[in-house]
Amino acid sequence: MDDSSGVGVLDKAALVLTALESGPTTLAGLVTATGLARPTAHRLAVALEHHRLVGRDLQGRFVLGPRLTELASAAGEDRLLATAGPILARLRDITGESAQLFRRQGDIRVCAAAAERPSGLRDTIPIGTQLTMTAGSAAQVLLAWDEPERLQRGLNSSSFSAVALAGVRRLGWAQSVGEREAGVASVSAPVRSPSGKVIAALSVSGPIERLTRQPGRLHAPAVMAAAERLSEVLRRSGAND
């Protein structure tokens, strides 16, 4: 955080919640991410867990808690989803393919928004669909900029390699051909928060017959432009920082 609110315990609690934004984190990871002393990080995480602002996954790692989702719903649709709709629709119209927005939740990714191709053969992914983090161009994007430890752990059971993810970081986009589902190809690019953290992946997907075995050649420029447009709107609004 750049500025102190003057209430130290709240500033430190905010550091803990921000550190959990990218996914499950161990106590050691919290200490590294926040710069807090280990006893302080543990005490705050446990206190936040009491209020359901923090939870635990099956491995005992700290995660963002269910109360945050409830509060977000009470406040109305969040800025990312509110902004994504028109951008996804435009990306669908430009490419002629179904467009999706994926967000990571622990060891899965969730389709948070979508704009479907109106007719013909298409790759339909309903909003709320949970997909693996081990295959697909969106999974590559969501993992490529992760912290080294989490990235390496994610590669253990994935269909892609560390070399492939290095290529994703270099190019700024990912592609997959029959990786998640036979006959389906996709292209994805990162959406970033105002602080520069990758918080979502914007994708187009469809049959290999149309996207070919090099879908990035067809659609990477449009997908990257759409992802940057969404990131820019978030920067201007200061949302999801």
Side-chain angles (χ1 to χ4, degrees):
M1 295 175 64
D2 295 330
D3 301 311
S4 170
S5 69
V7 183
V9 68
L10 288 182
D11 290 342
K12 291 173 182 176
L15 283 175
V16 170
L17 293 173
T18 299
L20 297 177
E21 181 183 357
S22 60
T25 306
T26 62
L27 178 58
L30 278 183
V31 170
T32 300
T34 62
L36 298 171
R38 187 181 181 91
T40 301
H42 182 262
R43 186 171 65 252
L44 286 171
V46 171
L48 289 167
E49 184 180 10
H50 176 77
H51 290 286
R52 300 175 62 243
L53 295 167
V54 165
R56 305 277 188 125
D57 68 5
L58 294 176
Q59 286 75 46
R61 298 172 296 181
F62 294 106
V63 296
L64 292 177
R67 183 61 182 148
L68 293 173
T69 301
E70 296 165 5
L71 291 171
S73 297
E77 192 174 27
D78 74 41
R79 175 63 61 181
L80 176 62
L81 296 187
T83 305
I87 291 175
L88 283 169
R90 178 170 169 76
L91 180 60
R92 174 200 60 200
D93 294 344
I94 290 172
T95 62
E97 302 297 344
S98 298
Q100 304 90 26
L101 179 76
F102 289 99
R103 291 201 283 196
R104 182 173 182 176
Q105 291 184 5
D107 294 329
I108 61 171
R109 54 188 170 101
V110 177
C111 181
E116 296 294 345
R117 177 186 166 94
S119 62
L121 192 60
R122 59 187 185 271
D123 182 32
T124 300
I125 303 176
I127 294 173
T129 299
Q130 298 182 355
L131 296 175
T132 177
M133 278 292 297
T134 61
S137 63
Q140 293 177 43
V141 163
L142 292 170
L143 192 60
W145 284 272
D146 215 337
E147 298 169 2
E149 180 185 340
R150 280 162 52 86
L151 189 156
Q152 189 56 50
R153 190 165 59 242
L155 283 171
N156 288 339
S157 57
S158 71
S159 302
F160 39 81
S161 65
V163 172
L165 293 189
V168 171
R169 291 190 295 273
R170 184 178 68 254
L171 295 171
W173 56 269
Q175 67 178 9
S176 68
V177 179
E179 192 175 282
R180 174 181 63 83
E181 182 178 343
V184 173
S186 66
V187 182
S188 298
V191 177
R192 298 179 181 273
S193 73
S195 65
K197 181 181 296 184
V198 175
I199 56 173
L202 204 62
S203 307
V204 294
S205 60
I208 293 173
E209 287 84 348
R210 282 199 307 266
L211 271 71
T212 76
R213 301 199 71 82
Q214 291 291 330
R217 290 182 180 176
L218 290 177
H219 298 312
V223 175
M224 290 178 69
E228 175 53 36
R229 192 154 55 244
L230 182 50
S231 300
E232 175 59 28
V233 172
L234 295 178
R235 281 196 293 272
R236 290 203 305 267
S237 68
N240 291 302
D241 200 0

